[in-house]
Amino acid sequence: MSVDTVTYATPPLTSPLTLIHEASQAPGWWRSAVIYQVYPRSFRDLNGDGIGDLAGITAELPHLADLDVDAVWLSPFFKSPQRDAGYDVSDYCDVDPIFGTLLDFDILMAEANRLNVRVIVDLVPNHCSDQHVAFQAALAAPAESPERDMFIFRDGTGQDGNEPPNNWQSHFGGPARTRITGPGGQPGQWYLHLFDSSQPDFNWDNPAVHAEFERVLRFWLDRGVSGFQVDVAHALVKAPGLPGWGGRADGGSSDGFPGHEAPMFGQPAVHDIYRAWRRILAEYGADRILCAEAGVDLPRLAHWVRPDEMHQAFNFPFLHAGLDVYRLRGVITDSLTVLNGVGAPSTWVLSNHDVVRHASRFGYNGHGPRDGDGIGPADPQPDTDLGRRRAAAASMFMLGLPGAAYLYQGEELGLPDGTDIPGHLRQDPTFARTGGERLGRDGCRVPLPWRAAERHLGFGAGADPWLPLPASFGELARDAQAAAPSSHLNLYRSMLALRRGLDLGSGSLAWAEDWCSGSSLAYVNGTTLVIMNLNHEPLDLPAGRVLLRSAGPETGHRLASGETAWLCLDGGGAE
Ligand code: BGC
């Protein structure tokens, strides 16, 4: 991707600067926001059943307001058999009893409004639970009926229809087709499920599906939410005829993103859905947003955030770039360039509920775990100190970037993955569907430690947490870190306060070439220089006053290995 190279006379920095992105005051809180992902079942268990709940989120919300986040995104808390931790929804307009009630949600909203924290909820429109009333009706209805047409049922192939209609594979392992049996036990049609067999895909060629989801959007907008994270937003529409797929059977391509020709992803008609949704959101005001969880490559990501579509899309290429300075530079340059082309901000993210936490991913010098596969007791273990130090550096590098940043609960504590979860406690369907060959994502979903001295480290005072908290979480508990000035938590507080104070989210980006090498990367955002050193040796810092550094107390004008610093270039700025 080509960019203009310009040299600024920004004293005292003499490096040539390559301008990628200019500062923008375009309206929209979401353009520069910090959005904190809450994974409800692991956040805080107030009713003592071992699973986090909405009342727990409400109780601890002041801590998130104190961290100065703009919004929380709540992963699914809707009625669900919990076969895929709530991403298998059986009623989109109700709260699952394990999380509470609609009244608890309204109380949470009221508290969020009081604290000036916006709430975004997760929308799962590609599939529902097999316990959803519409799927149960489809099972009870004959082939070719309107009820069946809400989903993607087809006759089988081969003798007696014994073979699935095509070769598509589930993301969680195994075939993406399951055959149903009729009331008399006779074999019937096959339905499509890109994920678990308990998650049938909706048929988005059917207008009745559109109508149902428009109702769901309005239901939550009426309750005051600021928008939606749209789960697997690239998958809703499938290619006509559901043709077989000769690439990776789950639609993935060798670089980890859906093959561009894959019949289950990125079909043009999917964009019409989001245009219609954007019009609905606009009825509620310009501050309601849609964010796409679309696992597509960068040029295509821009299609999801054209001016009449979604507002944001997750930047998975950034997450997958890890600490490879060449990839990072390429992804940041490309993200800002292609998204500038459609007037959309970039988002940045390092961790979520589907990947190994970055404090663990960065704790390896060689190859770490494959995303989505987790780390088990028999695997090489990450070096937790190294991982946490590099995680702080990577977060500080990310939070200086212009655009919106997503944080995953617990990353402000520097939490690593739980790596000693016994097989019988694992709940991610990936584990069962692959016979334990792939561990799945439970490690990054371990409950949060709130108070070191309390039962279950303050996650909940009752039953054992649904996944065990490692003993090492004790010293990482929020109250312990709050009291330690140079803790990970206090670094996050300082970063988020400075980011807001310096307006970095709305700022600019120019690479500072003299500090970009095979092992370091530096950019200027406004009057702030952000520099990360991934070399094994320390690096001399350029002139400028150090505002903040990720490795703790200042150790002279050198940047340690695995450290990031923010420097003020204009002689002013905060201490
Ligand atoms: C969610 C996963 C979930 C899957 C199926 C993903 O994109 O982030 O946690 O398992 O969608 O709904």
Side-chain angles (χ1 to χ4, degrees):
M1 214 148 288
S2 75
V3 290
D4 298 331
T5 300
V6 293
T7 304
Y8 287 122
T10 313
L13 186 74
T14 54
S15 168
L17 299 180
T18 303
L19 178 65
I20 304 296
H21 173 82
E22 310 230 31
S24 160
Q25 288 305 320
W29 67 271
W30 40 275
R31 289 180 176 274
S32 56
V34 173
I35 301 175
Y36 181 104
Q37 179 187 359
V38 170
Y39 195 66
R41 58 171 42 233
S42 301
F43 190 74
R44 174 82 165 87
D45 168 24
L46 213 66
N47 69 2
D49 65 355
I51 301 174
D53 40 53
L54 295 184
I57 300 171
T58 306
E60 306 293 3
L61 211 49
H63 289 284
L64 304 187
D66 182 49
L67 202 54
D68 202 12
V69 303
D70 297 283
V72 291
W73 148 35
L74 305 179
S75 281
F77 51 86
F78 316 107
K79 217 168 211 170
S80 160
Q82 305 292 324
R83 294 281 297 274
D84 182 21
Y87 282 91
D88 50 322
V89 181
S90 56
D91 186 343
Y92 289 85
C93 297
D94 204 353
V95 173
D96 195 89
I98 63 170
F99 297 123
T101 62
L102 276 172
L103 178 61
D104 290 323
F105 179 81
D106 291 341
I107 294 171
L108 189 163
M109 272 303 312
E111 176 68 345
N113 288 336
R114 185 183 76 78
L115 295 167
N116 207 16
V117 173
R118 292 173 179 274
V119 175
I120 292 172
V121 296
D122 219 306
L123 188 71
V124 190
N126 180 66
H127 46 264
C128 60
S129 158
D130 59 1
Q131 300 307 305
H132 191 287
V133 63
F135 191 73
Q136 288 297 313
L139 291 181
E144 313 307 329
S145 59
E147 289 84 355
R148 287 266 170 108
D149 197 37
M150 293 290 283
F151 299 90
I152 304 178
F153 280 91
R154 294 289 182 277
D155 292 333
T157 56
Q159 208 187 355
D160 301 327
N162 282 338
E163 300 295 327
N166 66 20
N167 66 347
W168 297 5
Q169 294 288 298
S170 155
H171 276 267
F172 295 152
R177 296 290 195 160
T178 293
R179 193 172 196 184
I180 61 168
T181 45
Q186 73 281 20
Q189 289 189 300
W190 299 70
Y191 65 91
L192 176 70
H193 52 88
L194 291 184
F195 294 90
D196 188 56
S197 56
S198 65
Q199 294 167 293
D201 280 43
F202 279 110
N203 171 20
W204 278 91
D205 292 336
N206 182 347
V209 172
H210 293 240
E212 170 60 8
F213 275 92
E214 292 177 11
R215 181 181 78 86
V216 172
L217 289 177
R218 289 182 192 284
F219 180 87
W220 293 105
L221 288 165
D222 286 338
R223 292 195 112 83
V225 305
S226 284
F228 303 88
Q229 188 278 142
V230 181
D231 188 60
V232 274
H234 52 308
L236 274 53
V237 178
K238 279 77 179 178
L242 311 176
W245 168 238
R248 252 177 51 181
D250 63 358
S253 65
S254 53
D255 62 2
F257 293 106
H260 303 141
E261 309 305 326
M264 64 290 271
F265 294 123
Q267 301 301 309
V270 83
H271 298 287
D272 296 336
I273 299 171
Y274 304 132
R275 290 195 182 98
W277 289 5
R278 177 134 181 176
R279 288 194 293 273
I280 292 175
L281 263 70
E283 291 173 26
Y284 289 79
D287 63 338
R288 313 296 173 108
I289 69 162
L290 294 167
C291 175
E293 191 220 31
V296 296
D297 64 7
L298 270 169
R300 283 170 184 78
L301 200 59
H303 297 171
W304 265 263
V305 288
R306 289 175 285 199
D308 58 347
E309 289 196 43
M310 301 220 190
H311 301 73
Q312 299 179 331
F314 283 128
N315 193 336
F316 293 124
F318 177 76
L319 187 153
H320 293 296
L323 292 177
D324 176 328
V325 289
Y326 294 111
R327 279 183 75 185
L328 270 177
R329 179 173 172 150
V331 164
I332 292 167
T333 298
D334 291 355
S335 304
L336 292 169
T337 308
V338 299
L339 296 169
N340 280 341
V342 290
S346 187
T347 63
W348 312 106
V349 61
L350 286 165
S351 281
N352 64 33
H353 65 292
D354 287 332
V355 298
V356 171
R357 286 177 174 278
H358 61 291
S360 292
R361 289 204 311 273
F362 297 159
Y364 293 87
N365 277 316
H367 284 295
R370 210 189 83 144
D371 282 340
D373 281 1
I375 306 166
D379 293 322
Q381 298 296 299
D383 173 336
T384 46
D385 289 341
L386 175 69
R388 198 165 305 125
R389 187 167 78 242
R390 287 180 175 165
S395 298
M396 187 180 267
F397 189 79
M398 174 180 88
L399 288 168
L401 292 168
Y406 275 82
L407 308 180
Y408 176 50
Q409 67 178 38
E411 73 169 77
E412 75 279 23
L413 305 176
L415 293 188
D417 263 37
T419 61
D420 54 0
I421 302 170
H424 71 276
L425 292 181
R426 289 196 174 271
Q427 299 202 13
D428 184 348
T430 311
F431 185 73
R433 285 184 68 88
T434 61
E437 194 185 311
R438 292 175 56 195
L439 293 173
R441 303 157 293 177
D442 291 314
C444 64
R445 300 173 176 182
V446 169
L448 295 186
W450 287 91
R451 285 163 272 272
E454 290 182 10
R455 183 170 161 79
H456 303 316
L457 301 178
F459 170 65
D464 286 348
W466 70 283
L467 287 175
L469 282 77
S472 65
F473 274 25
E475 61 186 23
L476 300 177
R478 185 172 300 262
D479 65 344
Q481 294 206 36
S486 58
S487 66
H488 212 91
L489 175 63
N490 282 320
L491 176 68
Y492 262 71
R493 282 184 176 153
S494 304
M495 287 193 291
L496 294 176
L498 261 180
R499 178 185 153 91
R500 194 180 292 286
L502 296 167
D503 206 10
L504 297 177
S506 307
S508 56
L509 184 132
W511 295 114
E513 300 295 355
D514 284 353
W515 280 274
C516 290
S517 69
S519 53
S520 66
L521 213 46
Y523 59 86
V524 175
N525 179 345
T527 57
T528 304
L529 175 74
V530 175
I531 177 165
M532 176 165 69
N533 179 22
L534 294 172
N535 201 338
H536 294 299
E537 301 299 323
L539 182 74
D540 283 333
L541 282 169
R545 194 157 61 87
V546 175
L547 298 170
L548 198 62
R549 48 198 307 166
S550 63
E554 203 168 327
T555 52
H557 220 67
R558 306 196 86 193
L559 197 59
S561 170
E563 190 182 10
T564 296
W566 289 358
L567 278 80
C568 177
L569 296 176
D570 70 357
E575 280 298 338

